């Protein structure tokens, strides 16, 4: 009886911990996503600078959401804490030598990665639906603009333009969040990521 009682009191390994443990495949998939979006973001970086000069910052801020798609998509597919941050960092490492901002680009992706994880931490890494993706990325896109408010001199712009900046930031985040969800679902349906589609069903 004592043996049975002691055995009953020994905690069993947590299934949740097993599900959240990283595998080599997880890191490879996160890295693949990061590299793809790194080159998209490199293009977006130069487009942002060109659009700011040519048509103004309101239109340039429509690109905001692209800077979060790597982390969001990695988390939406792999669904393990920290994987979004890792994807953002890998993207930053690829981007740093290929943009005018150098190491500051890596710092930016570091912050973006932390913010991305925070969105899913709020849901306890249990919700990856369209609402979470759209609302989460809209909020982060707005924060992204606010964080650069001083350095970009937005405070000196007219009130309508400042409102436009906020609006375009939120719209960009919402559209990119929706696109991220659609891309994730489409990619999983192709069967290229065997194992992840079954886990999501």
């Amino acid at each position: 009886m004592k043996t049975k009682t002691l055995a009953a009191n020994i905690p069993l390994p947590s299934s949740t911990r097993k599900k959240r443990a990283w595998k080599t495949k997880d890191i490879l998939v996160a890295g693949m996503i990061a590299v793809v979006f790194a080159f998209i973001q490199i293009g977006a970086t130069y487009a942002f600078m060109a659009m700011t000069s040519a048509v103004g910052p309101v239109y340039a801020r429509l690109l905001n959401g692209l800077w979060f798609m790597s982390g969001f998509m990695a988390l939406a597919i792999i669904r393990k804490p920290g994987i979004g941050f890792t994807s953002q960092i890998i993207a930053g490492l690829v981007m740093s030598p290929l943009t005018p901002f150098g190491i500051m680009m890596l710092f930016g992706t570091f912050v973006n990665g932390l913010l991305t994880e925070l969105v899913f931490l709020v849901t306890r890494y249990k919700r990856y639906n369209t609402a979470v993706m759209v609302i989460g990325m809209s909020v982060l896109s707005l924060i992204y603009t606010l964080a650069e408010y001083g350095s970009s001199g937005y405070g000196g712009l007219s009130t309508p333009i400042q409102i436009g900046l906020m609006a375009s930031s939120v719209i960009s985040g919402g559209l990119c969040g929706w696109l991220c969800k659609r891309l994730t679902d489409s990619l999983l349906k192709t069967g290229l990521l065997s194992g992840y589609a079954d886990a999501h069903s």
Side-chain angles (χ1 to χ4, degrees):
M1 291 292 295
K2 286 185 178 180
T3 304
K4 289 183 179 180
T5 303
L6 288 171
N9 289 332
I10 296 174
L12 296 173
S14 170
S15 60
T16 301
R17 288 181 182 177
K18 286 183 178 180
K19 287 180 181 179
R20 292 187 173 183
W22 288 13
K23 299 176 182 178
T24 303
K25 177 183 177 181
D26 298 333
I27 299 172
L28 290 175
V29 171
M32 175 189 72
I33 294 168
V35 171
V36 170
F37 279 102
F39 284 100
I40 292 174
Q41 290 168 24
I42 289 169
T45 298
Y46 288 100
F48 180 88
M49 293 187 291
M51 288 175 68
T52 299
S53 300
V55 294
V58 172
Y59 294 100
R61 285 293 164 183
L62 290 172
L63 299 172
N64 266 19
L66 293 174
W67 275 272
F68 294 96
M69 288 189 71
S70 170
F72 268 70
M73 195 161 179
L75 271 167
I77 292 173
I78 303 169
R79 301 190 176 186
K80 294 180 180 180
I83 208 73
F85 175 80
T86 300
S87 186
Q88 289 278 19
I89 290 297
I90 295 172
L93 289 171
V94 175
M95 294 167 65
S96 292
L98 300 174
T99 68
F101 304 104
I103 196 66
M104 288 304 296
M105 183 63 74
L106 181 59
F107 175 75
T109 56
F110 177 89
V111 174
N112 289 351
L114 291 178
L115 290 173
T116 298
E117 292 289 336
L118 183 60
V119 169
F120 294 93
L121 178 63
V122 170
T123 71
R124 299 175 66 185
Y125 293 94
K126 291 182 178 180
R127 295 185 180 180
Y128 300 86
N129 55 32
T130 303
V132 171
M133 305 286 275
V134 170
I135 296 172
M137 205 179 292
S138 292
V139 172
L140 296 193
S141 180
L142 181 59
I143 292 173
Y144 186 78
T145 295
L146 293 174
E148 295 185 343
Y149 225 72
S151 60
S152 298
Y154 292 156
L157 300 174
S158 65
T159 301
I161 292 179
Q162 292 189 47
I163 293 173
L165 284 168
M166 302 300 107
S168 60
S169 298
V170 171
I171 290 170
S172 173
L175 288 174
C176 286
W178 177 84
L179 179 60
C180 193
K181 177 61 175 172
R182 298 284 78 75
L183 287 174
T184 298
D185 291 345
S186 298
L187 186 59
L188 290 171
K189 287 178 181 177
T190 64
L192 293 175
L193 298 174
S194 58
Y196 294 116
D198 294 337
H200 294 183
S201 59

